[in-house]
Amino acid sequence: TKGVPGSVVVPTVEGTRPLLVEVQALVTPTSFGLPRRTVSGADPQRLALLLAVLAKRAGISLGSHDVYVNLVGGLRVREPAADLAVAVALASALRDRAADPRTVFVGELGLGGELRRVQRLAARLKEAQRLGFTRAVVPQASLGDLNGSGLDVVGAATLREALTRSGITDS
């Protein structure tokens, strides 16, 4: 199906079970002097950090926009492996460009904009493949952890590179 801007999927791990979660973001110009930040299902402090990394390391400033982030289904995801999905959803919402709906995004973001390795990547991607996804954008450092995933796996070393490979940004 055709994707919706601001909506991506992240394979998370709840206990020992991989679970796919849809991350939705909505970005609109603020009507007031102070932009609003509303988060459901994720850590608000982590969102503030991701907004700063997007601005400084990827050139995507959301300082004059209201930002709404929702993890669908009422789930609460605290693991940093969801960072990349949240960042891609925000960039997608701002640019009004949908990410490929058959792609999952997983990776922890460092303050330098680098993508960091995540645990149990092979199990996450196996679940994504089982549910019909065909592509994954993951940290470059995690490519050695795959054990023959059937997905088209794309490695990215930085947030900027991941956004380019996802088709959200051009450079």
Side-chain angles (χ1 to χ4, degrees), residues 16 18-19 38 57 67 70 81 89 116-117 131 134 159:
T16 60
L19 180 67
T38 303
R57 305 297 181 205
V67 173
N70 180 41
R116 298 176 158 232
R117 164 182 259 137
L131 293 175
T134 58
L159 172 59

Side-chain angles (χ1 to χ4, degrees), residues 116-136:
R116 298 176 158 232
R117 164 182 259 137
V118 297
Q119 299 297 318
R120 304 196 60 224
L121 183 61
R124 295 169 193 261
L125 297 186
K126 183 178 179 183
E127 181 70 5
Q129 181 183 8
R130 190 180 75 75
L131 293 175
F133 289 88
T134 58
R135 188 168 178 257

Side-chain angles (χ1 to χ4, degrees), residues 2 6 14 16 22 58 75 78 83 94 96 98 100 112 116-117 128-129 141 143-144 158 169 171:
K2 186 173 179 181
E14 184 68 33
T16 60
E22 182 182 2
L75 296 171
R78 297 286 183 197
D83 289 355
L94 178 68
D96 202 29
D100 179 2
R116 298 176 158 232
R117 164 182 259 137
Q129 181 183 8
L143 288 178
T158 65
T169 61
S171 59

Side-chain angles (χ1 to χ4, degrees), residues 14-102:
E14 184 68 33
T16 60
R17 178 177 165 79
L19 180 67
L20 272 64
V21 177
E22 182 182 2
V23 176
Q24 293 180 333
L26 179 64
V27 175
T28 61
T30 188
S31 307
F32 307 104
L34 186 63
R36 183 175 201 162
R37 310 293 189 229
T38 303
V39 185
S40 176
D43 181 10
Q45 298 305 316
R46 193 75 183 173
L47 175 64
L49 180 138
L50 294 177
L51 292 171
V53 172
L54 273 166
K56 186 71 174 177
R57 305 297 181 205
I60 298 176
S61 178
L62 297 163
S64 61
H65 291 80
D66 292 335
V67 173
Y68 302 89
V69 174
N70 180 41
L71 275 67
V72 176
L75 296 171
R76 300 196 64 73
V77 175
R78 297 286 183 197
E79 71 167 338
D83 289 355
L84 179 60
V86 173
V88 170
L90 288 166
S92 168
L94 178 68
R95 299 277 196 251
D96 202 29
R97 285 189 188 173
D100 179 2
R102 297 163 300 171

Side-chain angles (χ1 to χ4, degrees), residues 106 115-117 121 137-145 154-158 161 165:
V106 61
L115 286 177
R116 298 176 158 232
R117 164 182 259 137
L121 183 61
V137 177
V138 304
Q140 186 78 34
S142 293
L143 288 178
D145 302 339
V154 178
T158 65
E161 186 180 342
R165 291 177 184 256

